[in-house]
Amino acid sequence: MQVIKYVFQPHGDDRGQLVALEEFKDIPFRIKRVYYMYDTGEDVTRGYHAHKSLQQILICIHGSCKIRLDNGKEKKVVPLEKPYEGLYVSNNMWREMFDFSSDAVLLVLASELYDESDYIRSYDDFLDYVKKISLTTTEEV
Ligand code: TYD
């Protein structure tokens, strides 16, 4: 599984750091929605879903957390601990977010508006879905 982590270029000077992100330039999709998580309990794991279409960039703009990515065949854990690093999470990717530091703020840039019908919230359904997709792709070739 290929993990795509963007390293954004901060505009640093003697006042501090500033990171600016533009759609299609720094972010590979149109940004339709922004949300963030904070005050996440240190023992909490959240996420536990995949999306059929949605793409996201996850940035831990303060503190740290870990992201488990799972494409149905392979799993990888990616630590996020720098405010200038963004993890790309494609569609059809199961994700779990955990190990949040008490000061963590996890910012999410999303390619679509909130749409519950885009979610796959059962892991078994996710495995069936990615199997079905890979069969369809194979048949098309
Ligand atoms: P939830 O999907 O449980 O978060 P996660 O799975 O990423 O841990 O979302 C928590 C609540 O927030 C849930 O009631 C849905 C709502 N929500 C919105 O209204 N808009 C959004 O863009 C998101 C991401 C969640």
Side-chain angles (χ1 to χ4, degrees):
M1 184 201 306
Q2 196 194 1
V3 171
I4 301 175
K5 220 178 192 186
Y6 289 85
V7 180
F8 308 120
Q9 187 62 60
H11 300 271
D13 58 29
D14 53 12
R15 297 169 298 173
Q17 304 294 330
L18 184 155
V19 174
L21 302 173
E22 294 188 15
E23 57 190 13
F24 299 130
K25 189 174 146 205
D26 310 284
I27 303 299
F29 50 75
R30 167 143 294 145
I31 301 165
K32 287 204 186 161
R33 180 164 52 107
V34 175
Y35 62 94
Y36 48 92
M37 283 156 257
Y38 63 97
D39 275 354
T40 310
E42 297 197 24
D43 296 329
V44 166
T45 300
R46 58 186 307 170
Y48 294 112
H49 64 257
H51 287 279
K52 296 175 197 163
S53 308
L54 184 80
Q55 304 170 69
Q56 295 175 322
I57 297 274
L58 273 53
I59 308 169
C60 196
I61 55 172
H62 196 255
S64 61
C65 66
K66 292 193 175 86
I67 315 296
R68 183 175 297 110
L69 296 178
D70 177 347
N71 64 6
K73 290 183 180 155
E74 224 185 312
K75 298 178 196 206
K76 276 203 175 149
V77 172
V78 183
L80 284 181
E81 44 205 21
K82 305 281 187 216
Y84 53 81
E85 280 182 352
L87 174 66
Y88 175 70
V89 182
S90 68
N91 58 334
N92 306 327
M93 184 72 77
W94 188 264
R95 87 288 314 273
E96 294 167 13
M97 295 84 94
F98 63 104
D99 212 7
F100 286 84
S101 62
S102 57
D103 58 350
V105 181
L106 181 63
L107 177 76
V108 181
L109 309 178
S111 66
E112 304 297 337
L113 302 178
Y114 182 72
D115 175 9
E116 190 55 42
S117 70
D118 189 58
Y119 280 75
I120 306 170
R121 291 198 183 269
S122 142
Y123 189 66
D124 288 343
D125 290 351
F126 167 68
L127 291 179
D128 288 346
Y129 189 79
V130 287
K131 244 180 242 162
K132 205 170 76 188
I133 288 172
S134 72
L135 285 176
T136 312
T137 313
T138 312
E139 279 163 17
E140 276 170 7
V141 169

